[in-house]
Amino acid sequence: MLLRDLWHQRGQLLAAALVVACGIASFVSMRLTYESLLAARDSYYRVHRFADVFVHLKRAPDVMAQRLREIPGVAEVHTRVVMGVTLDVPGLAEPATGRLVSVPDRRQAMLNDLFLRRGRYIEPGSTEEVIASEAFAAANRLDVGDRVGAVINGRWKSLRIVGIALSPEFIFEVGPGALFPDNRRFGVLWMGHQALASAFDMDGAFNDAVFGLAAGAVVPDVLSRIDLVLERYGGLAAYGRDDHVSHRFITDEIAQNRISSTWIPGIFLGVAMFLLHLVLSRLVSLQRTQIGLLKAFGYGRGPVSLHYLQLAGATVSLGVVLGTGAGLYLGEGLTALYLDYYRFPALPLVFSPEVVGAGVGLSLVAAGLGAAGAVARAFELPPAEAMRPERPSSFHPGVLERTRLRRLLPPAGRMILRSIARRGWKSVLSALGIACAVGLLVLGGFFMDTLDYMLRVQFQDVQRDNVTVYFNQPGSAAVQHDVRHLPGVLHAEPFRTVPARLRFEHRSRRTEVTGLDAGGDLYQLLDRRLRRVGLPADGLLLSRKLADVLQVGAGDRVTVEVLEGERLVRSLEVAGVVDDLVGIFAYMDRAALNRLLREDSVASGARLRIDVRQSAQLYDTLKHMPAVAGSIFQEAALDSFEQILDRSLRVSTLINVVFACVIAFGVVYNGARVALSERGNELASLRVLGFTRREVAAMLLGEQVVLMLLAIPCGFTLGTWVSWFLSIQLDTEMYRVPLVLTPASFAFSALVVIAAALVSGIIVASRINRLDLIAVLKTRE
Amino acid sequence: MNLTDPLAENPASPGAPVFHVHGVSKVYHMGEVAVHALRGIDLDLYAGELVVLLGASGSGKSTLLNILGGLDVPSSGEVFYLDHALTAASEEELTRFRREHVGFVFQFYNLIPSLTALENVALVTEIAPRAMPPAEALELVGLRERRNHFPSQLSGGEQQRVAIARAVAKRPDVLLCDEPTGALDYATGRIVLEVLARVNRELGTTTALITHNAAIAGMADRVIQMSSGRIVTTARNTRRLTPADLSW
């Protein structure tokens, strides 16, 4: 009997099973990805000893390392030389930016230890051997034995790659000043300490240190003590893991995974619960007589109820099996996608029986709750009552009768509306299910639209240059002049950036003060409506986020502690805020900044607009220009980012569409099938009375159409709310994520769901052809 | 064939028949068993007459009615509605035939529960080319005051009368009633029959009524007795009784 019922209800139960499968698949894949990322990160950090605190400085003698070691809470200090250089990579037109990081000449355990993927460690004393980061090597198809050119302290040098490695410090490898990874044009190269120090005249000195902390160390205390020790050596503020770019990205990603692995499966299981309830309630109604008969024959309430529980259980089991399989497959795919962005020695999908167990448990709970109503009815139905046919559905004058709407509607329209009203909360839940499907798609659209918007604003409206060059040292007027006259440069705008801590009352933030030329065009400060904000002659413009964090507004005076050179401390007025999308910055007029720093008209770099026809010559010159520490090529960087992005967006869109279709299909299919079953007699009567199949199908599916029409705007609203909520969640000091949704995204969401509903509608409508017109003349509902 | 011959000469049966049934058989295959529901039926129905088809269950009367109504097709033989061969019609043509020419009254009324009495009638009149106003149809069955009630608020007899109003509102050429009083008690059944007689009398609708209740035969122009898929006798009542005169 169980098998027979399963077979008879196969379409509807399968639809419910598929929804369960999607729930489990999303739960298992996201949760396993979450656990895998977490496990991979933690074991990587542990085995390769990721540092707790980081600091960069101008130059300190090696003896200062001992002073740092003595700071309470510090367990270990590793000092090193870190330098930015311009690289000439074979096969790459533009110069790349390299970060040279010194490593001990003989391999020894250290903080941020390398994971050597291929090749070997450097030979002690070698001046040309380097170990390249895997992401950079892979993007440029470099391998052990290949060479890259570098401008090291003004001298051209050929470096030989002897090994390919990864470091826990660079899981997310993003260059200075860049907004996202561009592994072709930015890479880390590890070089022997002796060789690197000599090349940059840093013998007996260091300009970077990383720290391991003892258990129980209080990070802010340690940071301020480090700053105190290094102040006279040009120390930039020390920071903990929380401000470490790579760590921050990977940790945010993991946190997001955890959140989405909770609510997305929740939607599916909720919908599955509702579908099971629909199918089983209808089944109990149809099988009243059978139930009565069984009870009359002496079967207890238990076995009868158990039957329906088993139906739900069987459905969910199928969903669990399909979903777990799909979840593992998707999990593999997701972790593989993560390797595009994050570099781990390995990111195996951790198979956690607990996660699968939890998925199964949750589904069974959903099945139980979904079946509960139907089971309770079967349980309570007295045998005599059960053997009488169910009372015909009764209708009473309702809202429709009290409104003018009634007169406007033809009888068929009234049938549809009354039927929806009579089904009450079931109609609401159906609409809600469809709305969830729409909302899911809207949410997918939000990610794409917002990303599009952010990239467009950042790279068309804000950064309007083709190339940004960074100087090794603040460049004098002469250097600026040289840059202006590089081949192909149409227009150059120097800028000055200086690390600084901004303080207001007890609140402070470490940031950069950027000096821009008034009237410049290549970097625009914009307000929320993308209108240009002019630089004040004096005073600061702050990122809105920075102003929020410091709780300052126009007219307030903030203390600016410059973290470079003479470490001047000045009080400046906040002239206004700007709505930038990335980072937290303070902007001012470059001349004013130069005056503040008591320096001539120097610049930290320049933004260039170039004649692309002459780019090859420009690139060649930049590759060998000693004053330039690095360059960013906006278009190339954007292209490579979009390539990576494209892959993950395509995958996530596909998954989203499949999930939404399964929900929409499941809800509409089950709704229509139940309606067909409940109203089969009525519809067959209409066929006898001369209504065509098409007309009858319209009456059957009209209910679903109306629910859909109600659900779509609800889905739009729901999707917009969740998008809005996420845009607030994602609004950090690193990024601001504005809520952007294009009409195309709404249209796409609606169309996908309508298409899925249409398919299920057509399948159900085909059953109208099978209505038995003769039986209806003789049977009583 | 012989049994129906004398009727053709009857002066009360004018001109060409509305329905012409010739040599109709219907065989249902149930697994390996062949059930002969109709065996070589010949029958003509004439405009305006009220015919009662009498017979026990399984006699084939319902099958015959279904074939006349375009709900079923015979295994062999021909059925003509005026000059249209129903036996050669497609599913779409049969639907149109039912829509334009046939009114059905079911044993269990089969009203749409979500529509009021008036709306149930209007549903049909909207798709019919020369329908009467729904209120008028309800007036005809004496249910003017109950027009805004839903089926669940009406008694069985009232529901059946609404069903009759629904069937006649489109002014069908033929009214096919399958055990219209089967689910009703005596008094209510008689009221329903009165309505059917009135429709037949006032609108001149050709009416075929199936029943196993021989007492009803008295109200017919002609009584056709069926058994085992055959027409056993056909009799013409010399005087039609009114439903009030019937008793069972």
Side-chain angles (χ1 to χ4, degrees):
Chain A
M1 186 162 149
L2 182 67
L3 289 178
R4 208 187 53 211
D5 277 345
L6 280 172
W7 179 246
H8 280 302
Q9 308 291 323
R10 62 188 179 278
Q12 287 163 268
L13 293 178
L14 190 64
L18 282 180
V19 176
V20 173
C22 285
I24 297 300
S26 57
F27 179 76
V28 168
S29 62
M30 290 179 184
R31 201 72 197 189
L32 288 184
T33 304
Y34 160 72
E35 298 219 340
S36 304
L37 278 172
L38 197 65
R41 186 197 71 177
D42 288 352
S43 90
Y44 193 15
Y45 279 5
R46 197 177 55 250
V47 174
H48 291 266
R49 306 181 53 224
F50 181 48
D52 297 303
V53 170
F54 312 79
V55 69
H56 196 72
L57 52 139
K58 193 157 175 98
R59 180 197 174 99
D62 281 343
V63 289
M64 290 312 293
Q66 191 49 39
R67 286 281 304 285
L68 293 172
R69 249 171 231 119
E70 286 160 6
I71 292 172
V74 170
E76 193 175 347
V77 178
H78 172 62
T79 58
R80 54 193 192 174
V81 175
V82 175
M83 290 290 176
V85 294
T86 299
L87 298 176
D88 183 8
V89 180
L92 184 68
E94 307 92 8
T97 301
R99 179 174 295 171
L100 289 181
V101 178
S102 74
V103 287
D105 286 323
R106 285 177 199 288
R107 188 157 199 195
Q108 63 189 68
M110 61 170 184
L111 292 170
N112 301 335
D113 211 351
L114 300 185
F115 171 82
L116 202 59
R117 179 81 80 192
R118 282 197 302 283
R120 60 171 173 82
Y121 200 70
I122 48 161
E123 288 284 350
S126 161
T127 56
E128 59 157 31
E129 290 186 0
V130 290
I131 298 170
S133 66
E134 188 184 46
F136 177 64
N140 285 298
R141 306 212 172 125
L142 294 173
D143 210 338
V144 174
D146 290 335
R147 286 179 172 272
V148 291
V151 180
I152 292 183
N153 205 13
R155 286 185 296 275
W156 172 257
K157 197 167 172 61
S158 171
L159 301 173
R160 190 157 58 90
I161 297 172
V162 297
I164 305 290
L166 292 83
S167 155
E169 206 179 349
F170 301 108
I171 294 178
F172 187 74
E173 195 171 311
V174 60
L179 305 177
F180 37 74
D182 177 6
N183 297 130
R184 281 207 81 184
R185 290 166 204 85
F186 173 76
V188 178
L189 298 173
W190 290 276
M191 197 173 178
H193 184 83
Q194 195 51 51
L196 187 53
S198 324
F200 282 95
D201 306 324
M202 294 284 287
D203 291 299
F206 63 93
N207 72 347
D208 195 271
V210 292
F211 302 76
L213 299 188
V218 182
V219 178
D221 285 357
V222 175
L223 295 182
S224 55
R225 284 169 193 271
I226 292 172
D227 288 346
L228 212 60
V229 172
L230 294 179
E231 192 171 344
R232 30 188 300 247
Y233 300 100
L236 302 181
Y239 56 96
R241 284 185 177 183
D242 285 351
D243 290 319
H244 186 274
V245 173
S246 166
H247 176 80
R248 183 72 180 266
F249 267 95
I250 183 85
T251 304
D252 283 355
E253 188 66 48
I254 290 172
Q256 270 177 47
N257 248 291
R258 188 193 159 89
I259 296 169
S260 17
S261 71
T262 313
W263 63 269
I264 293 181
I267 293 179
F268 282 103
L269 292 181
V271 172
M273 222 148 76
F274 168 61
L275 294 186
L276 279 174
H277 174 82
L278 272 187
V279 182
L280 294 180
S281 312
R282 182 57 194 158
L283 201 59
V284 169
S285 303
L286 286 176
Q287 296 183 339
R288 286 168 66 87
T289 324
Q290 263 182 55
I291 295 169
L293 215 56
L294 285 175
K295 284 187 174 174
F297 285 158
Y299 279 91
R301 295 159 147 197
V304 171
S305 310
L306 188 65
H307 171 74
Y308 295 97
L309 267 183
Q310 282 170 336
L311 271 177
T315 306
V316 166
S317 303
L318 177 65
V320 166
V321 171
L322 289 176
T324 307
L328 291 175
Y329 175 77
L330 282 176
E332 294 276 0
L334 269 177
T335 46
L337 273 181
Y338 274 115
L339 287 178
D340 279 354
Y341 298 91
Y342 302 104
R343 291 284 164 171
F344 288 98
L347 181 53
L349 189 69
V350 179
F351 179 81
S352 143
E354 287 90 353
V355 166
V356 176
V360 173
L362 283 173
S363 320
L364 289 177
V365 169
L369 290 174
V375 170
R377 261 178 52 211
F379 186 84
E380 280 163 11
L381 212 56
E385 168 73 17
M387 287 167 74
R388 276 194 286 275
E390 208 167 6
R391 276 176 286 116
S393 36
S394 68
F395 283 82
H396 296 282
V399 181
L400 191 59
E401 279 57 47
R402 280 181 245 123
T403 59
R404 282 171 160 265
L405 190 60
R406 190 181 112 143
R407 298 198 187 159
L408 300 173
L409 280 177
R414 294 179 209 171
M415 271 168 81
I416 289 167
L417 288 193
R418 286 192 188 123
S419 180
I420 289 173
R422 196 179 67 91
R423 299 168 63 79
W425 63 271
K426 281 188 190 168
S427 300
V428 173
L429 288 180
S430 285
L432 202 64
I434 299 170
C436 282
V438 176
L440 212 58
L441 288 166
V442 169
L443 191 61
F446 157 70
F447 283 114
M448 285 211 245
D449 291 345
T450 295
L451 206 63
D452 257 6
Y453 173 85
M454 290 175 70
L455 291 177
R456 189 165 47 80
V457 168
Q458 193 64 32
F459 289 96
Q460 284 177 17
D461 301 338
V462 176
Q463 294 175 226
R464 301 161 56 78
D465 56 341
N466 306 111
V467 182
T468 310
V469 293
Y470 292 88
F471 302 145
N472 272 321
Q473 306 283 333
S476 61
V479 173
Q480 295 168 39
H481 177 271
D482 287 351
V483 167
R484 276 201 178 88
H485 293 88
L486 286 172
V489 172
L490 300 174
H491 177 56
E493 283 176 15
F495 59 87
R496 176 76 170 111
T497 60
V498 61
R501 181 177 292 281
L502 265 59
R503 223 178 258 288
F504 184 73
E505 292 170 353
H506 62 281
R507 294 172 292 277
S508 75
R509 271 294 179 285
R510 182 184 179 274
T511 174
E512 271 176 4
V513 179
T514 299
L516 300 170
D517 283 355
D521 180 52
L522 299 183
Y523 194 90
Q524 290 296 334
L525 301 173
L526 305 173
D527 70 4
R528 198 166 294 185
R529 292 189 188 158
L530 303 183
R531 288 177 307 205
R532 296 185 176 187
V533 179
L535 276 173
D538 266 316
L540 291 168
L541 286 176
L542 301 185
S543 300
R544 185 178 298 278
K545 189 75 183 177
L546 180 56
D548 289 348
V549 168
L550 296 177
Q551 296 177 29
V552 294
D556 287 329
R557 292 192 78 83
V558 291
T559 308
V560 178
E561 305 169 12
V562 177
L563 298 173
E564 193 181 271
E566 296 174 62
R567 301 201 157 235
L568 298 164
V569 177
R570 290 281 182 276
S571 167
L572 286 175
E573 188 179 307
V574 176
V577 294
V578 294
D579 289 277
D580 47 5
L581 297 173
V582 182
I584 49 170
F585 297 106
Y587 305 91
M588 64 190 292
D589 180 72
R590 185 165 69 99
L593 182 59
N594 285 148
R595 274 200 304 281
L596 182 88
L597 296 171
R598 296 199 289 219
E599 61 190 13
D600 296 332
S601 170
V602 301
S604 309
R607 297 178 191 280
L608 312 178
R609 178 167 294 154
I610 65 167
D611 177 356
V612 285
R613 287 167 302 182
Q614 295 187 56
S615 58
Q617 287 155 273
L618 174 67
Y619 298 160
D620 268 352
T621 315
L622 282 176
K623 280 176 186 173
H624 300 92
M625 207 171 151
V628 172
S631 319
I632 296 178
F633 302 89
Q634 312 301 1
E635 202 178 312
L638 193 61
D639 281 352
S640 76
F641 180 62
E642 281 180 335
Q643 261 174 31
I644 309 181
L645 207 63
D646 215 36
R647 193 158 97 108
S648 46
L649 277 183
R650 257 209 310 273
V651 173
S652 63
T653 305
L654 181 71
I655 293 178
N656 242 342
V657 166
V658 169
F659 280 6
C661 285
V662 167
I663 292 185
F665 182 90
V667 170
V668 173
Y669 181 76
N670 270 312
R673 280 299 301 273
V674 166
L676 180 63
S677 160
E678 284 175 356
R679 295 167 56 195
N681 233 27
E682 183 179 319
L683 299 172
S685 308
L686 291 171
R687 287 280 290 129
V688 171
L689 294 176
F691 285 84
T692 62
R693 286 173 189 161
R694 198 178 287 257
E695 287 163 342
V696 170
M699 286 185 218
L700 173 68
L701 298 177
E703 195 176 321
Q704 305 302 322
V705 171
V706 172
L707 287 178
M708 179 109 327
L709 291 178
L710 292 174
I712 286 173
C714 291
F716 286 171
T717 313
L718 191 70
T720 308
W721 278 351
V722 177
S723 302
W724 172 77
F725 177 74
L726 279 180
S727 81
I728 289 174
Q729 293 287 306
L730 295 173
D731 182 306
T732 62
E733 292 177 28
M734 296 174 91
Y735 290 111
R736 257 73 63 205
V737 180
L739 176 63
V740 180
L741 275 163
T742 58
S745 290
F746 285 115
F748 176 75
S749 309
L751 285 178
V752 167
V753 169
I754 288 172
L758 205 63
V759 171
S760 55
I762 288 169
I763 293 175
V764 177
S766 71
R767 292 185 162 259
I768 287 175
N769 299 341
R770 293 191 235 157
L771 286 174
D772 188 346
L773 304 191
I774 293 164
V776 76
L777 298 170
K778 285 291 177 195
T779 49
R780 176 163 206 157
E781 168 67 359
Chain B
M1 178 73 79
N2 292 336
L3 290 167
T4 54
D5 272 349
L7 296 169
E9 298 149 16
N10 191 306
S13 309
V18 179
F19 279 105
H20 174 64
V21 177
H22 178 67
V24 160
S25 293
K26 179 73 185 179
V27 184
Y28 293 107
H29 293 278
M30 301 193 136
E32 294 183 4
V33 188
V35 180
H36 290 264
L38 295 175
R39 304 164 190 261
I41 299 288
D42 294 314
L43 173 70
D44 288 320
L45 291 182
Y46 296 93
E49 70 173 340
L50 194 157
V51 175
V52 165
L53 287 163
L54 260 183
S57 60
S59 62
K61 55 188 193 305
S62 287
T63 307
L64 179 57
L65 194 83
N66 293 340
I67 289 173
L68 291 177
L71 295 173
D72 206 348
V73 285
S75 310
S76 64
E78 293 176 307
V79 180
F80 282 92
Y81 167 75
L82 301 174
D83 53 353
H84 305 290
L86 296 185
T87 32
S90 67
E91 166 61 34
E92 285 68 33
E93 287 166 331
L94 287 178
T95 301
R96 216 177 71 220
F97 163 68
R98 294 198 298 270
R99 186 179 184 121
E100 292 174 1
H101 304 290
V102 187
F104 278 98
V105 176
F106 308 90
Q107 179 175 5
F108 297 110
Y109 338 127
N110 295 34
L111 296 176
I112 307 298
S114 56
L115 296 180
T116 61
L118 189 74
E119 289 164 352
N120 259 287
V121 179
L123 183 68
V124 174
T125 56
E126 282 198 349
I127 62 162
R130 49 197 161 84
M132 64 177 81
E136 189 180 312
L138 281 180
E139 179 89 60
L140 195 66
V141 299
L143 282 178
R144 218 180 95 97
E145 301 75 41
R146 310 283 278 167
R147 62 189 193 177
N148 288 329
H149 287 65
F150 285 95
S152 59
Q153 300 169 305
L154 298 170
S155 73
E158 286 172 330
Q159 286 184 58
Q160 191 62 299
R161 279 148 70 196
V162 174
I164 294 169
R166 176 177 69 179
V168 301
K170 66 180 175 189
R171 301 184 203 276
D173 299 306
V174 56
L175 192 60
L176 302 177
C177 315
D178 195 348
E179 300 273 11
T181 58
L184 301 173
D185 60 48
Y186 171 72
T188 322
R190 214 160 61 174
I191 295 170
V192 166
L193 292 177
E194 272 169 359
V195 170
L196 285 174
R198 181 176 170 199
V199 166
N200 175 253
R201 190 174 64 241
E202 293 181 7
L203 301 179
T205 313
T206 308
T207 305
L209 192 156
I210 288 187
T211 182
H212 60 268
N213 184 350
I216 293 175
M219 66 181 278
D221 292 311
R222 265 198 303 164
V223 182
I224 296 167
Q225 177 89 43
M226 291 188 69
S227 175
S228 306
R230 290 196 174 86
I231 292 176
V232 189
T233 60
T234 301
R236 175 160 295 282
N237 287 325
T238 46
R239 190 175 72 87
R240 264 175 67 168
L241 297 176
T242 64
D245 301 328
L246 304 175
S247 62
W248 61 87

